[in-house]
Amino acid sequence: MTAFADLTSTQVAELLSGPRKPVLLLPVGAVEPHGPHAPLGTDEIISAGMCERAAARLADDADVRVLVLPAFNYGVTRLAAGFPGAISVSEATLHALVTEVCAGLVAQGFARIVVVNNHFEPAHVATLRKATAEAGVAYLDLVRRHNAERLTDEFRSGSCHAGQYETSLVLADHPELVDTATAATLPPVPVDLPAVMAEGKADFLAMGMDRAYCGDPAGASVAEGQSTFDTLTDLLVETIREVA
Ligand SMILES: [Zn+2]
């Protein structure tokens, strides 16, 4: 059992007094258009997929007991405004939820928490960095250079929204949610997201992403998704070891 919310209160008490250090993972995503081919919940699927894999890999670990918290799947998603299905919350709302949930757990004795996010809009990432620092919990920051350089070429190129990288990850866990026939028809849209955002472009349309994706969705594969999940799980397990 790896879902925190599946435990009884009695089991939570045993967790705190047991020999293994409890480490809680908080998956974070967003509800945001991911091209005409991938689901709105793509980022949540990736965060949950890596948390479940890390918990499974450490299931019999002698030192830590890893549990996955209910996901927080609303984020700051203003770049996608204008496309059907985008649901954005404010920075203040995201900050309050993350700090209050973490503070409540820390007060109960769960000091080891890792926030795991796969929605990389700068305002969203900045809010998570601030909230986790204030709450005194860990944040696995995948866009930091030392992490990003272990991920795929497309991810590092900045064309990392609903392209080959993300579509492959969804294919690995939820192939039924990808419209692969449509994905096969989509031309590559190379956009260096950090660069165009630095130029002040405020939404996907202004960035030349008129179908709410960049990168190369047609190049996505289950094999790449599984390989990337392996790397993401490595990164998360390393972070779990650091906080333990
Ligand atoms: Zn995404």
Side-chain angles (χ1 to χ4, degrees), residues 32 34 42-43 118-119 160-162 166:
E32 176 185 59
H34 278 77
T42 289
D43 301 341
N118 280 276
H119 172 56
C160 51
H161 182 78
E166 287 193 326

Side-chain angles (χ1 to χ4, degrees), residues 72 76 78 89-100 123 127 130-131:
F72 183 49
V76 183
R78 284 192 288 267
V89 299
S90 69
E91 286 90 334
T93 298
L94 178 63
H95 181 272
L97 263 157
V98 171
T99 52
E100 289 174 28
T127 303
K130 187 164 175 280

Side-chain angles (χ1 to χ4, degrees), residues 123-142:
H124 180 85
V125 171
T127 303
L128 290 177
R129 286 175 179 158
K130 187 164 175 280
T132 51
E134 279 181 31
V137 304
Y139 176 53
L140 175 51
D141 203 338
L142 293 171

